[in-house]
């Protein structure tokens, strides 16, 4: 009888070790699963933000045509009342777009940068080469991304020497 008790105790110890090992394995699996879920949640949030940003960018890019039309139409309005009303609508549109991160690219007097400007022509003059002389088509950034480069006229420095 004494032998049966010791064997039972040994068997219980073995079963306890086995159950403890399985519990530790399950806990590790649970930790990995939790980490995977957290990573998925973060990835999903980033993906959602990226899709929203892309949709906003497309919409704002399409609205730039309307903004251009406003800029061309405002100087030609004849009555002061019409002009004032259109300027209010134009300013409201600019304000809304700027709240989404749209900003014009300033360029006149600055150095030509192919990342933000598109050179349409050069003009010989006394200014330093590649200085922007005129903004021919306004460019815009959405947050820090250029969504439409400025179309510009750049300087080509005239030297006193004539070619042969």
């Amino acid at each position: 009888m004494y032998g049966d008790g010791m064997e039972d105790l040994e068997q219980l110890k073995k079963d306890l070790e086995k159950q403890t090992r399985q519990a530790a394995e399950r806990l590790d699996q649970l930790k990995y699963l939790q980490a995977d879920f957290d990573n998925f949640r973060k990835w999903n949030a980033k993906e959602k933000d990226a899709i929203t940003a892309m949709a906003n960018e497309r919409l704002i890019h399409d609205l730039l045509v309307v903004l251009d039309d406003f800029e061309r139409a405002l100087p030609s309005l004849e009555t002061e009342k019409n002009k004032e009303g259109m300027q209010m609508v134009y300013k409201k549109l600019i304000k809304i777009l700027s709240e989404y991160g749209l900003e014009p690219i300033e360029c006149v007097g600055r150095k030509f940068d192919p990342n933000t400007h598109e050179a349409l022509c050069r003009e010989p003059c006394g200014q330093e080469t590649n200085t922007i002389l005129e903004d021919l088509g306004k460019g815009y950034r959405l947050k820090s991304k250029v969504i439409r480069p400025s179309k510009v006229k750049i300087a080509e420095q005239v030297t006193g020497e004539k070619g042969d």
Side-chain angles (χ1 to χ4, degrees):
M1 224 181 183
Y2 182 75
D4 287 345
M6 288 300 274
E7 288 175 10
D8 288 344
L9 185 60
E10 287 299 317
Q11 186 62 38
L12 286 174
K13 283 182 182 180
K14 286 179 184 177
D15 288 346
L16 180 61
E17 285 177 18
K18 181 180 175 186
Q19 295 297 326
T20 304
R21 196 171 41 253
Q22 282 181 339
E25 288 173 4
R26 298 292 188 270
L27 183 60
D28 285 346
Q29 288 173 341
L30 185 59
K31 286 178 183 178
Y32 284 121
L33 187 60
Q34 181 66 41
D36 285 345
F37 181 72
D38 286 343
N39 289 338
F40 173 76
R41 209 176 68 239
K42 289 174 188 174
W43 173 84
N44 194 22
K46 283 181 185 178
E47 188 72 14
K48 183 179 174 187
D49 289 345
I51 290 169
T52 301
M54 191 180 336
N56 284 345
E57 181 180 331
R58 285 189 59 206
L59 175 63
I60 290 171
H61 190 270
D62 291 345
L63 286 175
L64 290 180
V65 175
V66 176
L67 204 58
D68 293 341
D69 291 343
F70 264 113
E71 289 176 351
R72 284 190 292 271
L74 282 173
S76 65
L77 289 173
E78 294 185 19
T79 67
E80 192 64 34
K81 190 174 185 178
N82 285 345
K83 191 171 191 171
E84 192 175 305
M86 290 295 280
Q87 283 176 329
M88 284 175 44
V89 174
Y90 174 74
K91 286 177 184 175
K92 194 176 285 185
L93 180 60
I94 290 283
K95 183 178 183 274
I96 290 169
L97 292 174
S98 68
E99 287 172 359
Y100 279 87
L102 184 73
E103 59 184 41
I105 297 173
E106 300 297 327
C107 57
V108 176
R110 298 181 183 200
K111 280 295 209 186
F112 174 76
D113 177 0
N115 297 313
T116 56
H117 309 119
E118 180 181 338
L120 296 183
C121 58
R122 294 180 175 270
E123 182 176 295
C125 66
Q127 290 200 26
E128 187 178 339
T129 300
N130 290 335
T131 300
I132 298 172
L133 301 174
E134 188 178 344
D135 188 354
L136 302 172
K138 194 178 277 189
Y140 292 93
R141 279 188 191 93
L142 184 58
K143 301 196 179 185
S144 60
K145 181 180 178 185
V146 175
I147 61 171
R148 186 171 80 182
S150 296
K151 293 173 179 16
V152 297
K153 179 193 300 185
I154 59 176
E156 190 172 317
Q157 193 170 33
V158 177
T159 60
E161 301 173 18
K162 297 206 179 206
D164 290 329

